[in-house]
């Protein structure tokens, strides 16, 4: 199913192309001979954010002007030949490797090639028309993107953080359930999910960053007092929790399937460990240091540590349990620290 934001972007792109094509025929002088570049300019400047549209449009124009200048310089040496065209395009591709050109990287060698091949009969007029019509298109695209439902991707950030929190909670609960089962547990989906959690946290970071970028130059941002600083704090906290949960997942799966003899979990601690992990899952889902779930998780982890110290002996090592308990303490401390920040 197509997302609403993608449909919205498609509608605005279509409108920008239509307006740019109409305006292109009104441009006087030699530029009127090249109206087809205006819709192209509108299209290349249509990005999910207003600031992105402005940046892409400017980079495209810089790339075009640079490519055109390269071609016109080559024409000072005479009419283009196969060797000249090849050299100009080669140099254009090299210059396109400049990182700051961004969206203009692809258009630099293309503009140079078009001047030498398409505009050879009137390179100066073609170059001027090319740049002016692209400028018209970029202007139209940026205007429509800024005025017609300028995108604010705040919901994506909020939904992403909520989804990550639920994914971490589910992972902890499934591990807690697995510990209470007879070993080896029958289900092991959770054991294969640790890399997915890391990837998911990266996707959520991209969503928060997109929401942040979408505010710049956006007329709607003044009507939305969303605290993105709080989102960034929550994101950083959840990224830390993701690393802790990933470490717990790896350690527990190793203790169950890879090295159960070298990394045992004592039978007398299995129930307490399961309860502590389930309680931590509830605390992560609630994500409130003042909640009953948080208090229950903290008490469960403290009880586990007391029982663990009592059960520890040379014949009953508690290394794995101690490591898992420490990770759970870090999870709870992260929630507490993030909640205490202004």
């Amino acid at each position: 199913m197509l997302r609403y934001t993608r449909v919205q972007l498609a509608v605005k792109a279509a409108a920008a192309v239509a307006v740019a094509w109409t305006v292109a025929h009104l441009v006087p002088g030699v530029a009127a001979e090249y109206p087809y570049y205006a819709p192209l300019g509108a299209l290349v400047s249509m990005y999910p954010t207003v600031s992105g549209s402005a940046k892409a449009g400017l980079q495209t124009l810089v790339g075009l002007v640079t490519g055109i200048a390269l071609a016109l310089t080559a024409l000072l040496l005479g009419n283009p030949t196969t060797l000249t065209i090849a050299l100009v395009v080669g140099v254009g591709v090299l210059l396109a490797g400049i990182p700051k050109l961004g969206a203009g990287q692809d258009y630099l060698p293309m503009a140079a090639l078009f001047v030498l091949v398409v505009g050879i009969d009137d390179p100066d007029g073609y170059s001027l028309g090319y740049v002016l019509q692209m400028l018209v298109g970029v202007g139209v695209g940026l205007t429509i993107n800024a005025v017609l439902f300028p995108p604010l991707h705040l919901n994506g950030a909020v939904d992403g953080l909520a989804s990550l929190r639920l994914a971490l909670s589910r992972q902890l609960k499934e591990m807690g359930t697995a510990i209470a089962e007879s070993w080896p547990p029958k289900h092991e989906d959770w054991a294969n999910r640790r890399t997915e959690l890391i990837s998911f946290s990266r996707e959520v970071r991209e969503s928060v960053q997109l929401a942040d970028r979408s505010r710049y130059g956006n007329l709607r941002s003044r009507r939305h007092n969303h605290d993105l600083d709080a989102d960034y704090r929550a994101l950083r906290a959840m990224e830390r929790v993701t690393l802790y949960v990933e470490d717990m997942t790896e350690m527990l799966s190793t203790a169950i399937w890879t090295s159960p003899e070298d990394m045992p979990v004592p039978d007398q601690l299995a129930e307490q460990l399961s309860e502590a992990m389930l309680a931590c899952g509830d605390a992560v889902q609630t994500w409130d240091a003042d909640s009953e779930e948080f208090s229950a998780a903290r008490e469960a982890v403290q009880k586990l540590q007391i029982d663990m110290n009592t059960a520890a002996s040379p014949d009953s090592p508690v290394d794995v349990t101690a490591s898992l308990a420490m990770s759970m303490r870090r999870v709870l401390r992260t929630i507490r620290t993030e909640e205490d920040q202004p």
Side-chain angles (χ1 to χ4, degrees), residues 69-84:
L70 178 63
L72 293 177
T73 301
L75 287 175
L76 294 176
L77 303 176
N79 292 330
T81 64
T82 302
L83 179 60
T84 303

Side-chain angles (χ1 to χ4, degrees), residues 106-123:
D106 295 333
Y107 290 91
L108 194 158
M110 187 185 304
L113 178 63
F114 282 4
V115 170
L116 292 177
V117 177
V118 180
I120 187 58
D121 293 334
D122 182 16

Side-chain angles (χ1 to χ4, degrees), residues 104-264:
Q105 291 176 323
D106 295 333
Y107 290 91
L108 194 158
M110 187 185 304
L113 178 63
F114 282 4
V115 170
L116 292 177
V117 177
V118 180
I120 187 58
D121 293 334
D122 182 16
D124 293 335
Y126 175 81
S127 299
L128 180 61
Y130 193 174
V131 172
L132 285 179
Q133 292 289 20
M134 286 290 289
L135 181 60
V136 168
V138 168
V140 169
L142 179 58
T143 300
I144 287 182
N145 204 17
V147 175
L148 186 62
F149 303 111
L152 271 176
H153 298 274
L154 302 178
N155 290 337
V158 174
D159 294 343
L161 289 170
S163 297
L164 178 57
R165 187 175 68 248
L166 291 176
L168 293 170
S169 172
R170 182 183 67 170
Q171 183 74 355
L172 287 168
K173 291 179 181 180
E174 290 191 7
M175 286 192 292
T177 300
I179 293 172
E181 295 177 353
S182 58
W183 284 24
K186 294 181 180 179
H187 70 282
E188 54 182 280
D189 293 344
W190 58 269
N192 301 319
R193 203 180 291 140
R194 62 177 185 268
T195 56
E196 295 179 12
L197 290 172
I198 298 294
S199 298
F200 190 21
S201 69
R202 292 187 184 129
E203 292 176 6
V204 174
R205 170 165 284 276
E206 291 175 358
S207 297
V208 175
Q209 291 173 335
L210 177 61
D212 192 7
R213 292 194 302 270
S214 71
R215 297 183 300 167
Y216 297 104
N218 197 316
L219 300 177
R220 296 172 57 206
S221 62
R222 298 178 181 178
R223 301 196 303 269
H224 293 77
N225 296 321
H226 185 76
D227 188 358
L228 268 169
D229 290 336
D231 287 346
Y232 273 115
R233 290 196 300 269
L235 172 64
R236 289 190 292 268
M238 289 185 196
E239 285 175 334
R240 289 196 296 273
V241 171
T242 299
L243 293 176
Y244 299 148
V245 173
E246 190 272 341
D247 184 63
M248 293 169 67
T249 302
E250 182 176 4
M251 178 164 293
L252 187 57
S253 61
T254 300
I256 294 175
W257 289 290
T258 306
S259 304
E261 296 180 357
D262 298 331
M263 301 175 62

Side-chain angles (χ1 to χ4, degrees), residues 243-324:
L243 293 176
Y244 299 148
V245 173
E246 190 272 341
D247 184 63
M248 293 169 67
T249 302
E250 182 176 4
M251 178 164 293
L252 187 57
S253 61
T254 300
I256 294 175
W257 289 290
T258 306
S259 304
E261 296 180 357
D262 298 331
M263 301 175 62
V265 174
D267 292 337
Q268 64 270 35
L269 295 177
E271 182 178 354
Q272 295 94 316
L273 180 59
S274 174
E275 291 177 355
M277 204 164 289
L278 290 171
C280 278
D282 290 334
V284 169
Q285 182 174 348
T286 306
W287 203 271
D288 183 357
D290 296 324
S291 66
E292 295 181 0
E293 289 82 0
F294 183 90
S295 299
R298 184 175 55 187
E299 292 174 4
V301 173
Q302 290 174 346
K303 182 177 184 301
L304 171 64
Q305 289 180 310
I306 294 173
D307 294 342
M308 180 181 64
N309 294 331
T310 303
S313 69
D315 297 329
S316 182
V318 295
D319 296 357
V320 173
T321 308
S323 179
L324 293 173

